[in-house]
Amino acid sequence: MIHSALNHLVTTPPAPGNHITFRGAGTPETLSLEEFYALSGGLARQLRARGLRPGDRIGILAANCLEWALLDLAALRLGVQTAGFEAGKFTADGALLERYGLRLLFTDQDGDHPAVLPIAQARTLATAPTDEELPPVSYGPKDATTLKFTSGSTGTPKGLAATAGSIDSSLRAVQEMFAHGPGDELFVFLPLSLLQQRYWMYSALCFGHDLTISTYQSAFPALRATRPTVVMGVPAFYDLAKRHIEARAARMADTEPADARRQAAHHLFGDRIRYLWTGSAPAAPDTLRFLTSCGLPIYEGYGMNETCIVTKNHPGAWREGSVGRVVRGKEVLLDADGNISVRSDFPVGTAYTYAAPGASEQVFAPDGTVRTGDIGYFDADGFLYITGRADAVLSLGNGRNITVRPVEDRMRQSPAIAECVLFAHGDELVAVVSPAGEAPDRTAIEAQLESANEQGGRHERIGRVIVADQPFSIENGLLSSQYKPLRPRIREAFRTRIEDPDAGITA
């Protein structure tokens, strides 16, 4: 077992035989990991020639591409921090450079500043001649390698400098559970601005497996072309995959239903899947069961920006409904009310680097323990179950407190509903739903409202459903970069209809 993945990859070229591919809307591009590593070295030397030194910081504000990955690896090999910015939340200008202390910003946006460079230029720099040499780089556990940001439901996202020790600890834990290696091809499509998505590049370089990077928009066609063994996704993506599989299987009238679903699943994901990874938001139990029944084992885990991975189901240690057992290097603490805190051998950080006054104290205890805001419990075998958020309780005008997650989950059981977010208006529960397709199926949504109210208790009865005209998306600001509904923004967007007692589908 490699003790420090980061120190290994900055000092040791990858073994031959594996590749990294980008599959987006255009022509796919594949490099051997040796070629990729050599290019990153050339780019690191060019960055050094421009005056960058260990401890400096560059920014990347761009959609997924090989240049994104090259810049991140080049920065690591130079001892320079990377700040990954999510498109739509930041603008490529001088203010961004100043606020976050960036020496350079690489972007696919237009930028009018001498330190703002087109991200395509990274490839040109990587092959340009230079006499610069790379000095040795070594990371201690507390050294920061990257600046990452919360998904940020309101205001400016909080910035957190992530330590090398936290990255190494997470990679060790994942490798113990899943043993990625030769023969594996990991598929990544979420934004590389999310640090965990770059873990799989580090894993490929250290443990010798293939990696394909795509985008959310191109994910399904790229999956079919790639035939990966592992897919790194979020619950919303797998809910959509389930609907695709069901629709294709329904057209296979001459095939036994279970076989039709398996064939449809192989058509979508390929025939080499070893497992599917999910986390970042609660997964729908019926989606997990469905995909597993199709021969696609899917393992849910738990973590957050401030903790990295905390618990994970995995082969040989899996329990339905749970988010798995605590991984090595983490400790989960529960108070009398089930509030979850996390202590780490190698913390991501002990405070936000960029945040409003008082924000760090709300989340980080003085010893670095993270207050997650989640509520849960352990079963007798050490599996953790998340029952909700401490702040996801609605207070109705009649004094009743309603935990939203089980009510929202019942509405999401319908294939016509992609997301459901619950709000209180006086004594009434009002649900805002995102349709699964561009044209909402109001008949199916109305039927699900009736079913959900029959399943729930009388105090969990939804009075009205507001159907969004268009599905929630990152582009319209109602989903985070990890495809989680942004509750405050949804409330603001639908405030008028939530407060109008005549708006929506009534129970």
Side-chain angles (χ1 to χ4, degrees), residues 73-157:
L73 180 56
L76 280 172
R77 294 183 64 183
L78 193 56
V80 167
Q81 295 179 21
T82 299
F85 298 102
E86 182 185 339
K89 292 189 175 177
F90 299 93
T91 303
D93 56 19
L96 189 71
L97 289 146
E98 183 176 354
R99 173 172 172 76
Y100 295 107
L102 307 178
R103 293 288 306 278
L104 293 172
L105 174 66
F106 292 86
T107 183
D108 55 9
Q109 298 181 4
D110 293 330
D112 185 18
H113 190 284
V116 176
L117 304 177
I119 193 166
Q121 193 171 329
R123 188 73 66 97
T124 306
L125 291 172
T127 55
T130 178
D131 294 329
E132 285 288 341
E133 296 293 331
L134 288 182
V137 170
S138 179
Y139 289 100
K142 295 183 179 180
D143 291 337
T145 71
T146 192
L147 185 66
K148 62 178 182 175
F149 296 89
T150 62
S151 55
S153 60
T154 58
T156 304

Side-chain angles (χ1 to χ4, degrees), residues 114-242:
V116 176
L117 304 177
I119 193 166
Q121 193 171 329
R123 188 73 66 97
T124 306
L125 291 172
T127 55
T130 178
D131 294 329
E132 285 288 341
E133 296 293 331
L134 288 182
V137 170
S138 179
Y139 289 100
K142 295 183 179 180
D143 291 337
T145 71
T146 192
L147 185 66
K148 62 178 182 175
F149 296 89
T150 62
S151 55
S153 60
T154 58
T156 304
K158 297 184 286 290
L160 178 65
T163 62
S166 69
I167 297 171
D168 284 335
S169 178
S170 293
L171 286 170
R172 280 196 301 272
V174 170
Q175 195 63 10
E176 286 179 6
M177 293 183 287
F178 294 102
H180 299 136
D184 274 324
E185 179 147 10
L186 275 62
F187 184 84
V188 173
F189 61 88
L190 292 172
L192 293 175
S193 56
L194 303 171
L195 174 60
Q196 184 170 317
Q197 304 311 305
R198 280 131 61 196
Y199 282 4
W200 315 123
M201 174 181 73
Y202 309 155
S203 173
L205 292 163
C206 289
F207 305 121
H209 59 76
D210 296 333
L211 175 69
T212 291
I213 300 169
S214 187
T215 65
Y216 198 96
Q217 294 78 10
S218 300
F220 286 124
L223 270 174
R224 286 191 289 273
T226 301
R227 298 174 53 247
T229 62
V230 179
V231 177
M232 303 296 177
V234 289
F237 171 77
Y238 293 119
D239 290 341
L240 182 56
K242 175 176 178 284

Side-chain angles (χ1 to χ4, degrees), residues 47 55 134 162-163 194 224 236 265 314 329 351 357 364 402 447 449:
L47 294 176
L134 288 182
T163 62
L194 303 171
R224 286 191 289 273
H314 59 91
F364 297 94
I402 305 298
L449 171 61

Side-chain angles (χ1 to χ4, degrees), residues 23-79:
R23 289 185 182 274
T27 303
E29 181 181 9
T30 297
L31 298 173
S32 72
L33 287 183
E34 300 143 283
E35 292 174 309
F36 179 73
Y37 194 82
L39 285 171
S40 75
L43 181 53
R45 285 187 283 274
Q46 284 291 339
L47 294 176
R48 183 171 172 82
R50 287 174 173 248
L52 272 78
R53 295 295 183 267
D56 286 340
R57 183 180 295 155
I58 64 168
I60 308 174
L61 173 55
N64 286 1
C65 56
L66 280 182
E67 288 79 9
W68 214 122
L70 276 172
L71 281 163
D72 186 59
L73 180 56
L76 280 172
R77 294 183 64 183
L78 193 56

Side-chain angles (χ1 to χ4, degrees), residues 302 332-342 370-377 387-391:
Y302 172 67
V332 170
L333 311 172
L334 302 180
D335 69 11
D337 296 318
N339 290 292
I340 297 172
S341 295
V342 175
V370 174
R371 306 178 187 97
T372 69
D374 293 312
I375 300 172
Y377 67 92
T387 57
R389 293 278 303 168
D391 58 359

Side-chain angles (χ1 to χ4, degrees), residues 236 238-248 290 412 414-419 435-437:
Y238 293 119
D239 290 341
L240 182 56
K242 175 176 178 284
R243 292 194 287 272
H244 280 310
I245 292 168
E246 288 173 327
R248 184 176 183 84
F290 177 86
R412 278 193 290 260
S414 169
I417 297 172
E419 292 292 350

